[in-house]
Amino acid sequence: MSRTLIILKRELSAYFATPVAYVFIVIFLLLTGVFTFHIGELYERNQADLEPFFRFHPWLYMLLIPAISMRLWSEERKAGTLELLMTLPISLVEAVIGKFLAAWCFTAIALALTFPVWVTINYLGDPDNTVILAGYLGSLLLAGGCLAIGSFISALTKNQVIAFVISFVICFAFNLSGFPLVLDMFSSWAPQAIVDVISSFSFLTHFESILKGVVDIRDIIFFGSLIAFFLYANVLAIEAKKGS
Amino acid sequence: MDNLISVKGLHKHFGNLVAVDGIDLKVQKGEVLGFLGPNGAGKSTTMKMITGFLAPTAGSVAVCQHDVANDPIAAKTRIGYLPEGAPAYGEMTPTSFLDFVADIRGLVGRGKTDAIRKAVEKINLESVMHQPIETLSKGFKRRVGLAQAILHDPQVLILDEPTDGLDPNQKHEVRTLIKEMAPEKAIVISTHILEEVNAVCSRAVIISKGRLLFSGTPAEFAAHSRYHNAVTMSVASGIAASIEKTLAVLPDVSNVESTEIDAELTRVTAIPKDNKPIVENIQNCIQQHNWKVDELFVEPGRLDEVFRTMTMEAESIGEEART
Ligand SMILES: Nc1ncnc2c1ncn2[C@@H]1O[C@H](COP(=O)(O)OP(=O)(O)OP(=O)(O)O)[C@@H](O)[C@H]1O
Ligand SMILES: [Mg+2]
């Protein structure tokens, strides 16, 4: 078994060793339910797709993912187990990836548990399941992006509450950066190139394009490089902060 | 070739604070090296650099000829480390925790089960194997950390206060364990219990303000005491005063101290000049005067006194340097 996998296994079982996992999954399912059926009006729309279900994921993740990621490294630093981990024969990169993948697997499990929504829509109508699959893929990529941000932030502080709040704010900013309201704020003074860069960082734009069922390689590259960037920053943050 | 740990010119700065200020060490196979020193002396920081957790500001560490900075995985494979405070994942049980560490250490199959079983037996952990670590008593937590450190039978063991928080029986067990393992390994322990130096260490160093003040065998350490070669005897309290006076004027005796044990018995200690052996003179003296002496022994030296003198001296030198 590779060391990354060993870390992944330990982390994942750590989620389920405490009530955190169950509380998270219940709240996630409840909120997706509320958003999909009440606010998204899945039934009332009379359309056989899961757009109302996926549409709210960026906003859900912005709130819930930091709750998963906040403990990833802050807790290790606070409890001193970081010292133990870093003196075992394992590289920091392996540890960072292993922990990130564990959190990602965990959100994948939570996401998979929304299958009744998919069953319902297939029972009620005749949806295009490839579009739905693309939706799940996009949702997973989005979760990965938020997790990588959250993991990096949790490496910067021993305080989980601070990690939560800052990750929330950053994910919020990534969500918002595609909104006309926000872009207008910049377009009044910044050159168009910068406005384009800001809007190209929007989670919403990339996520929504995947939701349409067209999985564009550029969207995958966007989330992939976002994850890689923040995990790299995560490694640097631990290197810099581990002694304190 | 048998130099398993080699530390050269080690420095560690935390901002303006100099935690480790030029430490050189070599530890060979078969040695148990004791780190002594006041709180904040830099013992743990030195250990953190030896085990590759902290990068030195300057200097280098090699473990089994592998440079810790350049070849960290090779070095870490050969080290077993008990960090200060014995951190462990609280939600895990000792069973799952040791299993995890064994996996990371690359142990598999029979080798893994055997390694875990042996470590658990040596450390007497059987009774708590299925209890979450966060609910264990302090001593048991420390023991889980020890089990984790010796799991892969490493060539180098670094133990930061291994007996802190253990009950007297367990202290004894752990010291015995360290002595048993010693011939095959290079072991470094830090401790505030000075008797531990005599009990387990083949060599001790005193660290103060990030520097080595002393390095030597426990006997050499004790020999720095002004009580080294002092003669202590127990006598009837009634005659103690006259004995004191007589001993005080013997040629090689510098001064005499006495403590009353109870109404009947007093302990008189004659301290020699320059640690000269004086026991013969004193025995002659006893015969001459026909004193009744209950017990009489030559002191090897008092470790706490040496420790205090050495570290206080370093302190006052430091003060002078600053003013
Ligand atoms: N991460 C850190 N940041 C800043 N200062 C530190 C850090 N770690 C240790 N120090 C300082 O370095 C000095 C040495 O600390 P260290 O823990 O090595 O002492 P020690 O000899 O192990 O003491 P003790 O006997 O109390 O365990 C102390 O002054 C401590 O405050
Ligand atoms: Mg210490």
Side-chain angles (χ1 to χ4, degrees), chain A residues 157-186:
Chain A
T157 170
K158 286 185 195 176
N159 186 320
Q160 297 196 24
V161 177
I162 294 179
F164 174 86
V165 173
I166 297 182
S167 310
F168 167 81
V169 169
I170 296 183
C171 290
F172 191 38
F174 268 96
N175 275 348
L176 279 187
S177 69
F179 266 66
L181 187 78
V182 177
L183 292 178
D184 286 348
M185 237 163 58
F186 286 94

PDB file of all heavy atoms in Angstrom, chain A residues 157-186:
ATOM      1  N   THR A 157      -3.270  28.007  10.395  1.00  0.00           N
ATOM      2  CA  THR A 157      -3.667  28.364  11.751  1.00  0.00           C
ATOM      3  C   THR A 157      -3.959  27.122  12.576  1.00  0.00           C
ATOM      4  O   THR A 157      -4.390  26.101  12.047  1.00  0.00           O
ATOM      5  CB  THR A 157      -4.918  29.274  11.754  1.00  0.00           C
ATOM      6  OG1 THR A 157      -5.400  29.392  13.094  1.00  0.00           O
ATOM      7  CG2 THR A 157      -6.014  28.727  10.879  1.00  0.00           C
ATOM      8  N   LYS A 158      -3.704  27.239  13.889  1.00  0.00           N
ATOM      9  CA  LYS A 158      -4.036  26.137  14.785  1.00  0.00           C
ATOM     10  C   LYS A 158      -5.477  26.224  15.233  1.00  0.00           C
ATOM     11  O   LYS A 158      -5.987  25.335  15.900  1.00  0.00           O
ATOM     12  CB  LYS A 158      -3.151  26.204  16.041  1.00  0.00           C
ATOM     13  CG  LYS A 158      -1.737  25.776  15.812  1.00  0.00           C
ATOM     14  CD  LYS A 158      -1.003  25.772  17.139  1.00  0.00           C
ATOM     15  CE  LYS A 158       0.483  25.708  16.890  1.00  0.00           C
ATOM     16  NZ  LYS A 158       1.250  25.798  18.116  1.00  0.00           N
ATOM     17  N   ASN A 159      -6.120  27.339  14.875  1.00  0.00           N
ATOM     18  CA  ASN A 159      -7.473  27.566  15.357  1.00  0.00           C
ATOM     19  C   ASN A 159      -8.483  27.168  14.291  1.00  0.00           C
ATOM     20  O   ASN A 159      -8.556  27.770  13.221  1.00  0.00           O
ATOM     21  CB  ASN A 159      -7.612  29.047  15.717  1.00  0.00           C
ATOM     22  CG  ASN A 159      -8.933  29.345  16.366  1.00  0.00           C
ATOM     23  OD1 ASN A 159      -9.974  28.825  15.966  1.00  0.00           O
ATOM     24  ND2 ASN A 159      -8.901  30.169  17.386  1.00  0.00           N
ATOM     25  N   GLN A 160      -9.283  26.147  14.603  1.00  0.00           N
ATOM     26  CA  GLN A 160     -10.201  25.623  13.590  1.00  0.00           C
ATOM     27  C   GLN A 160     -11.290  26.620  13.221  1.00  0.00           C
ATOM     28  O   GLN A 160     -11.756  26.644  12.085  1.00  0.00           O
ATOM     29  CB  GLN A 160     -10.854  24.333  14.092  1.00  0.00           C
ATOM     30  CG  GLN A 160      -9.845  23.239  14.324  1.00  0.00           C
ATOM     31  CD  GLN A 160     -10.496  21.874  14.438  1.00  0.00           C
ATOM     32  OE1 GLN A 160     -11.588  21.650  13.939  1.00  0.00           O
ATOM     33  NE2 GLN A 160      -9.822  20.969  15.107  1.00  0.00           N
ATOM     34  N   VAL A 161     -11.705  27.443  14.174  1.00  0.00           N
ATOM     35  CA  VAL A 161     -12.759  28.420  13.889  1.00  0.00           C
ATOM     36  C   VAL A 161     -12.252  29.439  12.871  1.00  0.00           C
ATOM     37  O   VAL A 161     -12.927  29.764  11.894  1.00  0.00           O
ATOM     38  CB  VAL A 161     -13.233  29.119  15.182  1.00  0.00           C
ATOM     39  CG1 VAL A 161     -14.269  30.171  14.845  1.00  0.00           C
ATOM     40  CG2 VAL A 161     -13.794  28.094  16.150  1.00  0.00           C
ATOM     41  N   ILE A 162     -11.030  29.911  13.085  1.00  0.00           N
ATOM     42  CA  ILE A 162     -10.437  30.850  12.138  1.00  0.00           C
ATOM     43  C   ILE A 162     -10.312  30.185  10.773  1.00  0.00           C
ATOM     44  O   ILE A 162     -10.648  30.774   9.737  1.00  0.00           O
ATOM     45  CB  ILE A 162      -9.063  31.323  12.645  1.00  0.00           C
ATOM     46  CG1 ILE A 162      -9.247  32.138  13.928  1.00  0.00           C
ATOM     47  CG2 ILE A 162      -8.345  32.158  11.584  1.00  0.00           C
ATOM     48  CD1 ILE A 162      -7.958  32.629  14.527  1.00  0.00           C
ATOM     49  N   ALA A 163      -9.860  28.939  10.754  1.00  0.00           N
ATOM     50  CA  ALA A 163      -9.719  28.215   9.486  1.00  0.00           C
ATOM     51  C   ALA A 163     -11.067  28.143   8.774  1.00  0.00           C
ATOM     52  O   ALA A 163     -11.159  28.373   7.564  1.00  0.00           O
ATOM     53  CB  ALA A 163      -9.174  26.813   9.736  1.00  0.00           C
ATOM     54  N   PHE A 164     -12.104  27.870   9.541  1.00  0.00           N
ATOM     55  CA  PHE A 164     -13.439  27.773   8.947  1.00  0.00           C
ATOM     56  C   PHE A 164     -13.851  29.107   8.327  1.00  0.00           C
ATOM     57  O   PHE A 164     -14.239  29.169   7.158  1.00  0.00           O
ATOM     58  CB  PHE A 164     -14.464  27.347  10.012  1.00  0.00           C
ATOM     59  CG  PHE A 164     -15.881  27.354   9.504  1.00  0.00           C
ATOM     60  CD1 PHE A 164     -16.400  26.251   8.859  1.00  0.00           C
ATOM     61  CD2 PHE A 164     -16.683  28.477   9.657  1.00  0.00           C
ATOM     62  CE1 PHE A 164     -17.687  26.247   8.368  1.00  0.00           C
ATOM     63  CE2 PHE A 164     -17.974  28.498   9.166  1.00  0.00           C
ATOM     64  CZ  PHE A 164     -18.477  27.377   8.519  1.00  0.00           C
ATOM     65  N   VAL A 165     -13.741  30.163   9.096  1.00  0.00           N
ATOM     66  CA  VAL A 165     -14.234  31.461   8.638  1.00  0.00           C
ATOM     67  C   VAL A 165     -13.471  31.926   7.394  1.00  0.00           C
ATOM     68  O   VAL A 165     -14.075  32.348   6.405  1.00  0.00           O
ATOM     69  CB  VAL A 165     -14.136  32.514   9.772  1.00  0.00           C
ATOM     70  CG1 VAL A 165     -14.482  33.893   9.237  1.00  0.00           C
ATOM     71  CG2 VAL A 165     -15.051  32.129  10.917  1.00  0.00           C
ATOM     72  N   ILE A 166     -12.143  31.805   7.432  1.00  0.00           N
ATOM     73  CA  ILE A 166     -11.368  32.290   6.282  1.00  0.00           C
ATOM     74  C   ILE A 166     -11.638  31.447   5.037  1.00  0.00           C
ATOM     75  O   ILE A 166     -11.804  31.978   3.934  1.00  0.00           O
ATOM     76  CB  ILE A 166      -9.866  32.316   6.621  1.00  0.00           C
ATOM     77  CG1 ILE A 166      -9.638  33.315   7.764  1.00  0.00           C
ATOM     78  CG2 ILE A 166      -9.029  32.717   5.415  1.00  0.00           C
ATOM     79  CD1 ILE A 166      -8.213  33.475   8.171  1.00  0.00           C
ATOM     80  N   SER A 167     -11.722  30.126   5.212  1.00  0.00           N
ATOM     81  CA  SER A 167     -12.023  29.279   4.049  1.00  0.00           C
ATOM     82  C   SER A 167     -13.384  29.645   3.468  1.00  0.00           C
ATOM     83  O   SER A 167     -13.559  29.698   2.245  1.00  0.00           O
ATOM     84  CB  SER A 167     -12.034  27.800   4.442  1.00  0.00           C
ATOM     85  OG  SER A 167     -10.878  27.474   5.145  1.00  0.00           O
ATOM     86  N   PHE A 168     -14.327  29.878   4.359  1.00  0.00           N
ATOM     87  CA  PHE A 168     -15.668  30.268   3.917  1.00  0.00           C
ATOM     88  C   PHE A 168     -15.595  31.537   3.062  1.00  0.00           C
ATOM     89  O   PHE A 168     -16.152  31.594   1.964  1.00  0.00           O
ATOM     90  CB  PHE A 168     -16.561  30.477   5.146  1.00  0.00           C
ATOM     91  CG  PHE A 168     -17.866  31.164   4.855  1.00  0.00           C
ATOM     92  CD1 PHE A 168     -18.941  30.451   4.348  1.00  0.00           C
ATOM     93  CD2 PHE A 168     -18.013  32.529   5.093  1.00  0.00           C
ATOM     94  CE1 PHE A 168     -20.140  31.088   4.071  1.00  0.00           C
ATOM     95  CE2 PHE A 168     -19.207  33.171   4.819  1.00  0.00           C
ATOM     96  CZ  PHE A 168     -20.275  32.446   4.299  1.00  0.00           C
ATOM     97  N   VAL A 169     -14.884  32.523   3.573  1.00  0.00           N
ATOM     98  CA  VAL A 169     -14.807  33.802   2.861  1.00  0.00           C
ATOM     99  C   VAL A 169     -14.156  33.617   1.484  1.00  0.00           C
ATOM    100  O   VAL A 169     -14.618  34.154   0.482  1.00  0.00           O
ATOM    101  CB  VAL A 169     -14.027  34.839   3.704  1.00  0.00           C
ATOM    102  CG1 VAL A 169     -13.699  36.075   2.877  1.00  0.00           C
ATOM    103  CG2 VAL A 169     -14.827  35.209   4.941  1.00  0.00           C
ATOM    104  N   ILE A 170     -13.075  32.811   1.437  1.00  0.00           N
ATOM    105  CA  ILE A 170     -12.392  32.636   0.151  1.00  0.00           C
ATOM    106  C   ILE A 170     -13.281  31.880  -0.846  1.00  0.00           C
ATOM    107  O   ILE A 170     -13.388  32.257  -2.018  1.00  0.00           O
ATOM    108  CB  ILE A 170     -11.042  31.924   0.344  1.00  0.00           C
ATOM    109  CG1 ILE A 170     -10.132  32.815   1.192  1.00  0.00           C
ATOM    110  CG2 ILE A 170     -10.379  31.628  -1.005  1.00  0.00           C
ATOM    111  CD1 ILE A 170      -8.762  32.277   1.406  1.00  0.00           C
ATOM    112  N   CYS A 171     -13.943  30.829  -0.377  1.00  0.00           N
ATOM    113  CA  CYS A 171     -14.839  30.095  -1.283  1.00  0.00           C
ATOM    114  C   CYS A 171     -15.965  31.017  -1.764  1.00  0.00           C
ATOM    115  O   CYS A 171     -16.372  30.966  -2.933  1.00  0.00           O
ATOM    116  CB  CYS A 171     -15.436  28.878  -0.580  1.00  0.00           C
ATOM    117  SG  CYS A 171     -14.226  27.597  -0.263  1.00  0.00           S
ATOM    118  N   PHE A 172     -16.442  31.829  -0.868  1.00  0.00           N
ATOM    119  CA  PHE A 172     -17.488  32.800  -1.199  1.00  0.00           C
ATOM    120  C   PHE A 172     -16.993  33.720  -2.317  1.00  0.00           C
ATOM    121  O   PHE A 172     -17.678  33.946  -3.320  1.00  0.00           O
ATOM    122  CB  PHE A 172     -17.840  33.595   0.059  1.00  0.00           C
ATOM    123  CG  PHE A 172     -19.069  34.450  -0.069  1.00  0.00           C
ATOM    124  CD1 PHE A 172     -20.182  34.018  -0.771  1.00  0.00           C
ATOM    125  CD2 PHE A 172     -19.120  35.700   0.555  1.00  0.00           C
ATOM    126  CE1 PHE A 172     -21.326  34.805  -0.869  1.00  0.00           C
ATOM    127  CE2 PHE A 172     -20.254  36.492   0.464  1.00  0.00           C
ATOM    128  CZ  PHE A 172     -21.354  36.036  -0.253  1.00  0.00           C
ATOM    129  N   ALA A 173     -15.773  34.208  -2.161  1.00  0.00           N
ATOM    130  CA  ALA A 173     -15.194  35.107  -3.169  1.00  0.00           C
ATOM    131  C   ALA A 173     -15.059  34.398  -4.511  1.00  0.00           C
ATOM    132  O   ALA A 173     -15.351  34.977  -5.557  1.00  0.00           O
ATOM    133  CB  ALA A 173     -13.837  35.612  -2.691  1.00  0.00           C
ATOM    134  N   PHE A 174     -14.630  33.138  -4.474  1.00  0.00           N
ATOM    135  CA  PHE A 174     -14.505  32.381  -5.725  1.00  0.00           C
ATOM    136  C   PHE A 174     -15.873  32.185  -6.379  1.00  0.00           C
ATOM    137  O   PHE A 174     -15.986  32.151  -7.596  1.00  0.00           O
ATOM    138  CB  PHE A 174     -13.834  31.032  -5.480  1.00  0.00           C
ATOM    139  CG  PHE A 174     -12.343  31.063  -5.663  1.00  0.00           C
ATOM    140  CD1 PHE A 174     -11.494  31.228  -4.573  1.00  0.00           C
ATOM    141  CD2 PHE A 174     -11.790  30.941  -6.922  1.00  0.00           C
ATOM    142  CE1 PHE A 174     -10.128  31.264  -4.736  1.00  0.00           C
ATOM    143  CE2 PHE A 174     -10.420  30.969  -7.102  1.00  0.00           C
ATOM    144  CZ  PHE A 174      -9.581  31.135  -6.009  1.00  0.00           C
ATOM    145  N   ASN A 175     -16.898  32.005  -5.555  1.00  0.00           N
ATOM    146  CA  ASN A 175     -18.245  31.888  -6.113  1.00  0.00           C
ATOM    147  C   ASN A 175     -18.692  33.206  -6.752  1.00  0.00           C
ATOM    148  O   ASN A 175     -19.216  33.238  -7.845  1.00  0.00           O
ATOM    149  CB  ASN A 175     -19.248  31.532  -5.014  1.00  0.00           C
ATOM    150  CG  ASN A 175     -19.302  30.034  -4.783  1.00  0.00           C
ATOM    151  OD1 ASN A 175     -18.762  29.264  -5.577  1.00  0.00           O
ATOM    152  ND2 ASN A 175     -19.933  29.625  -3.707  1.00  0.00           N
ATOM    153  N   LEU A 176     -18.460  34.265  -6.010  1.00  0.00           N
ATOM    154  CA  LEU A 176     -18.985  35.561  -6.419  1.00  0.00           C
ATOM    155  C   LEU A 176     -18.296  36.137  -7.647  1.00  0.00           C
ATOM    156  O   LEU A 176     -18.875  36.945  -8.370  1.00  0.00           O
ATOM    157  CB  LEU A 176     -18.836  36.563  -5.269  1.00  0.00           C
ATOM    158  CG  LEU A 176     -19.904  36.510  -4.174  1.00  0.00           C
ATOM    159  CD1 LEU A 176     -19.690  37.674  -3.231  1.00  0.00           C
ATOM    160  CD2 LEU A 176     -21.304  36.541  -4.776  1.00  0.00           C
ATOM    161  N   SER A 177     -17.026  35.740  -7.846  1.00  0.00           N
ATOM    162  CA  SER A 177     -16.217  36.471  -8.835  1.00  0.00           C
ATOM    163  C   SER A 177     -16.797  36.402 -10.245  1.00  0.00           C
ATOM    164  O   SER A 177     -16.342  37.110 -11.129  1.00  0.00           O
ATOM    165  CB  SER A 177     -14.767  35.989  -8.812  1.00  0.00           C
ATOM    166  OG  SER A 177     -14.710  34.679  -9.304  1.00  0.00           O
ATOM    167  N   GLY A 178     -17.826  35.566 -10.468  1.00  0.00           N
ATOM    168  CA  GLY A 178     -18.435  35.540 -11.795  1.00  0.00           C
ATOM    169  C   GLY A 178     -19.650  36.438 -11.907  1.00  0.00           C
ATOM    170  O   GLY A 178     -20.170  36.672 -12.996  1.00  0.00           O
ATOM    171  N   PHE A 179     -20.100  36.951 -10.761  1.00  0.00           N
ATOM    172  CA  PHE A 179     -21.336  37.736 -10.758  1.00  0.00           C
ATOM    173  C   PHE A 179     -21.154  39.095 -11.430  1.00  0.00           C
ATOM    174  O   PHE A 179     -20.162  39.781 -11.184  1.00  0.00           O
ATOM    175  CB  PHE A 179     -21.785  37.980  -9.309  1.00  0.00           C
ATOM    176  CG  PHE A 179     -22.761  36.960  -8.837  1.00  0.00           C
ATOM    177  CD1 PHE A 179     -22.382  35.639  -8.680  1.00  0.00           C
ATOM    178  CD2 PHE A 179     -24.077  37.318  -8.536  1.00  0.00           C
ATOM    179  CE1 PHE A 179     -23.282  34.691  -8.245  1.00  0.00           C
ATOM    180  CE2 PHE A 179     -24.975  36.378  -8.100  1.00  0.00           C
ATOM    181  CZ  PHE A 179     -24.591  35.048  -7.951  1.00  0.00           C
ATOM    182  N   PRO A 180     -22.115  39.515 -12.255  1.00  0.00           N
ATOM    183  CA  PRO A 180     -22.038  40.827 -12.900  1.00  0.00           C
ATOM    184  C   PRO A 180     -21.841  41.927 -11.864  1.00  0.00           C
ATOM    185  O   PRO A 180     -21.032  42.842 -12.052  1.00  0.00           O
ATOM    186  CB  PRO A 180     -23.399  40.973 -13.572  1.00  0.00           C
ATOM    187  CG  PRO A 180     -23.916  39.582 -13.722  1.00  0.00           C
ATOM    188  CD  PRO A 180     -23.320  38.771 -12.625  1.00  0.00           C
ATOM    189  N   LEU A 181     -22.543  41.785 -10.743  1.00  0.00           N
ATOM    190  CA  LEU A 181     -22.462  42.783  -9.682  1.00  0.00           C
ATOM    191  C   LEU A 181     -21.014  43.018  -9.254  1.00  0.00           C
ATOM    192  O   LEU A 181     -20.537  44.153  -9.148  1.00  0.00           O
ATOM    193  CB  LEU A 181     -23.287  42.295  -8.493  1.00  0.00           C
ATOM    194  CG  LEU A 181     -23.468  43.268  -7.348  1.00  0.00           C
ATOM    195  CD1 LEU A 181     -24.540  44.297  -7.703  1.00  0.00           C
ATOM    196  CD2 LEU A 181     -23.859  42.522  -6.077  1.00  0.00           C
ATOM    197  N   VAL A 182     -20.302  41.911  -9.052  1.00  0.00           N
ATOM    198  CA  VAL A 182     -18.905  42.003  -8.611  1.00  0.00           C
ATOM    199  C   VAL A 182     -18.024  42.499  -9.749  1.00  0.00           C
ATOM    200  O   VAL A 182     -17.161  43.363  -9.559  1.00  0.00           O
ATOM    201  CB  VAL A 182     -18.417  40.635  -8.118  1.00  0.00           C
ATOM    202  CG1 VAL A 182     -16.947  40.700  -7.726  1.00  0.00           C
ATOM    203  CG2 VAL A 182     -19.267  40.171  -6.952  1.00  0.00           C
ATOM    204  N   LEU A 183     -18.267  41.951 -10.934  1.00  0.00           N
ATOM    205  CA  LEU A 183     -17.423  42.324 -12.077  1.00  0.00           C
ATOM    206  C   LEU A 183     -17.577  43.813 -12.411  1.00  0.00           C
ATOM    207  O   LEU A 183     -16.589  44.472 -12.736  1.00  0.00           O
ATOM    208  CB  LEU A 183     -17.771  41.460 -13.292  1.00  0.00           C
ATOM    209  CG  LEU A 183     -17.398  39.986 -13.129  1.00  0.00           C
ATOM    210  CD1 LEU A 183     -17.810  39.181 -14.350  1.00  0.00           C
ATOM    211  CD2 LEU A 183     -15.897  39.825 -12.873  1.00  0.00           C
ATOM    212  N   ASP A 184     -18.807  44.322 -12.255  1.00  0.00           N
ATOM    213  CA  ASP A 184     -19.043  45.748 -12.514  1.00  0.00           C
ATOM    214  C   ASP A 184     -18.189  46.614 -11.594  1.00  0.00           C
ATOM    215  O   ASP A 184     -17.651  47.640 -11.990  1.00  0.00           O
ATOM    216  CB  ASP A 184     -20.518  46.099 -12.299  1.00  0.00           C
ATOM    217  CG  ASP A 184     -21.367  45.555 -13.442  1.00  0.00           C
ATOM    218  OD1 ASP A 184     -20.757  45.143 -14.458  1.00  0.00           O
ATOM    219  OD2 ASP A 184     -22.601  45.510 -13.314  1.00  0.00           O
ATOM    220  N   MET A 185     -18.059  46.124 -10.357  1.00  0.00           N
ATOM    221  CA  MET A 185     -17.267  46.856  -9.371  1.00  0.00           C
ATOM    222  C   MET A 185     -15.831  47.054  -9.869  1.00  0.00           C
ATOM    223  O   MET A 185     -15.209  48.074  -9.644  1.00  0.00           O
ATOM    224  CB  MET A 185     -17.226  46.066  -8.072  1.00  0.00           C
ATOM    225  CG  MET A 185     -17.738  46.815  -6.875  1.00  0.00           C
ATOM    226  SD  MET A 185     -18.101  45.661  -5.547  1.00  0.00           S
ATOM    227  CE  MET A 185     -16.550  44.842  -5.297  1.00  0.00           C
ATOM    228  N   PHE A 186     -15.321  46.024 -10.559  1.00  0.00           N
ATOM    229  CA  PHE A 186     -13.949  46.108 -11.059  1.00  0.00           C
ATOM    230  C   PHE A 186     -13.872  46.804 -12.417  1.00  0.00           C
ATOM    231  O   PHE A 186     -12.939  47.546 -12.682  1.00  0.00           O
ATOM    232  CB  PHE A 186     -13.343  44.699 -11.175  1.00  0.00           C
ATOM    233  CG  PHE A 186     -12.998  44.103  -9.852  1.00  0.00           C
ATOM    234  CD1 PHE A 186     -13.898  43.280  -9.186  1.00  0.00           C
ATOM    235  CD2 PHE A 186     -11.771  44.379  -9.249  1.00  0.00           C
ATOM    236  CE1 PHE A 186     -13.581  42.741  -7.955  1.00  0.00           C
ATOM    237  CE2 PHE A 186     -11.452  43.844  -8.014  1.00  0.00           C
ATOM    238  CZ  PHE A 186     -12.365  43.016  -7.363  1.00  0.00           C
TER     239      PHE A 186
END
